[in-house]
Amino acid sequence: MESAAAQEPRGAEAPRPSAPPPSPAEPPAAPRARPRLVFRTQLAHGSPTGKIEGFTNVRELYAKIAEAFGIAPTEILFCTLNSHKVDMQKLLGGQIGLEDFIFAHVRGETKEVEVTKTEDALGLTITDNGAGYAFIKRIKEGSIINRIQAVCVGDSIEAINDHSIVGCRHYEVAKMLRELPKSQPFTLRLVQPKRAFDTISQRTRSSKSPMEAKVTSGRETLRLRSGGAATVEEVPSEFEEEASRRVDDLLESYMGIRDPELASTMVDTSKKTRSVQEFAHRLDSILGEFAFPDEFVVEVWAAIGEAREACG
């Protein structure tokens, strides 16, 4: 005797389970959150360690440091990375390694010196902090300024003949100094960075100090920009570093300034051009205020090409 199930008509199909209702469309994945970039900082003459974040350019960086230590942003002359010393090789420029320790050098004593320009060149290389202060980055051996012991690397130039230059860019200050007449004395008002009690003069080398932070070797940097947001980028390539160094040397030779950020911008611009004429046109459009002479632009283009060949 067949079971009831077996008595079902031949060929009949068992009922199929109904398909589940379509699920609502899944929302697109949220963009990956950008990690917070938090940097450690101290005042170079000595302070507790503070933490800062949320800046996109040098002015905002100074404002964050000032807020962390309860001082005015205008008190900060410049910053160095991974060393509290007045070391121009470690000067903060347009890039900060993500693990770098920032030391802020603040205003110390003001001094006035009288200088007589007996030669065309004073022997000064000027740079600026990107926030209104121009300062001395290098003093040439045997130069007029080298013979004046009161003038030191790291001193901010506040006035020339009582004319304030606060807010002027480095190339403007260098031009003012070049145009001073020979054989006539002039006065420089300088502000030196505040020094810790154990700091040795900037004209001499000091031994390693426990205040000096460990230099790290992170592969990414925060690129600060004068216009627009800061970006996290890979560290510069060997070619970019070599080309920027050569361009910075030319800036010093032609204009009496050093500016790694400006040099880096010029190298970046060269990568988007195919000829020296196109390069010159682009420089005029983005850096026109510098009024670079034609022969300088040609030398920069050649130096970048030589760096590219040297680095393969």
Side-chain angles (χ1 to χ4, degrees):
M1 184 175 180
E2 293 180 346
S3 68
Q7 293 176 3
E8 289 183 5
R10 298 277 191 253
E13 294 182 358
R16 296 179 180 177
S18 59
S23 58
E26 295 184 1
R32 187 178 177 183
R34 180 177 174 180
R36 289 173 59 196
L37 301 179
V38 181
F39 295 86
R40 293 173 299 155
T41 183
Q42 287 183 1
L43 300 180
H45 64 278
S47 75
T49 298
K51 292 184 178 181
I52 57 173
E53 61 179 305
F55 54 88
T56 60
N57 56 51
V58 172
R59 288 183 183 273
E60 291 180 7
L61 166 63
Y62 285 8
K64 293 290 184 179
I65 295 174
E67 182 181 355
F69 296 110
I71 61 176
T74 52
E75 287 293 303
I76 301 172
L77 298 179
F78 56 86
C79 293
T80 49
L81 299 176
N82 305 311
S83 175
H84 73 289
K85 301 171 188 173
V86 180
D87 184 345
M88 295 295 108
Q89 298 302 313
K90 297 183 179 179
L91 191 66
L92 184 150
Q95 293 186 327
I96 307 174
L98 299 190
E99 298 296 326
D100 281 344
F101 200 114
I102 303 170
F103 289 90
H105 298 254
V106 301
R107 293 173 62 93
E109 295 182 5
T110 300
K111 53 192 175 183
E112 288 198 357
V113 296
E114 185 175 279
V115 183
T116 299
K117 190 175 181 182
T118 56
E119 304 168 20
D120 289 332
L122 293 170
L124 286 178
T125 298
I126 309 297
T127 191
D128 64 39
N129 67 357
Y133 288 146
F135 58 94
I136 299 169
K137 187 170 186 179
R138 184 179 295 177
I139 298 174
K140 185 178 180 180
E141 284 289 330
S143 65
I144 297 170
I145 294 296
N146 187 238
R147 296 191 287 270
I148 304 174
Q149 289 297 309
V151 182
C152 299
V153 168
D155 286 351
S156 172
I157 304 175
E158 192 169 66
I160 301 172
N161 285 334
D162 290 327
H163 172 69
S164 174
I165 61 163
V166 174
C168 294
R169 292 299 313 275
H170 45 24
Y171 65 91
E172 295 173 314
V173 177
K175 184 173 184 288
M176 292 177 201
L177 292 172
R178 282 198 305 271
E179 292 177 349
L180 289 169
K182 288 174 64 173
S183 304
Q184 292 186 19
F186 65 92
T187 302
L188 288 176
R189 184 161 74 241
L190 307 170
V191 180
Q192 68 183 32
K194 190 172 184 179
R195 304 176 188 176
F197 291 113
D198 63 343
T199 299
I200 300 176
S201 169
Q202 291 95 318
R203 286 179 177 257
T204 64
R205 289 190 174 187
S206 56
S207 60
K208 199 165 186 177
S209 162
M211 284 183 67
E212 190 159 353
K214 180 181 178 182
V215 177
T216 59
S217 56
R219 299 301 302 166
E220 290 185 320
T221 64
L222 181 68
R223 178 86 177 264
L224 303 178
R225 303 181 186 278
S226 56
T231 55
V232 176
E233 300 178 357
E234 291 293 313
V235 295
S237 66
E238 180 186 2
F239 155 68
E240 289 167 333
E241 286 189 342
E242 175 62 18
S244 294
R245 182 191 64 77
R246 295 185 185 213
V247 174
D248 208 18
D249 287 346
L250 287 171
L251 286 169
E252 181 173 23
S253 174
Y254 268 81
M255 304 177 66
I257 64 174
R258 290 195 78 87
D259 190 332
E261 182 183 2
L262 175 60
S264 178
T265 298
M266 297 176 80
V267 173
D268 287 346
T269 302
S270 75
K271 293 188 291 185
K272 304 168 187 173
T273 57
R274 296 184 179 182
S275 68
V276 65
Q277 292 81 7
E278 186 182 357
F279 178 57
H281 179 72
R282 281 185 176 262
L283 289 183
D284 281 343
S285 66
I286 62 174
L287 299 170
E289 71 270 21
F290 287 91
F292 295 126
D294 291 342
E295 63 270 19
F296 172 74
V297 174
V298 170
E299 285 213 36
V300 168
W301 178 259
I304 293 171
E306 291 166 2
R308 185 177 286 107
E309 291 180 5
C311 298

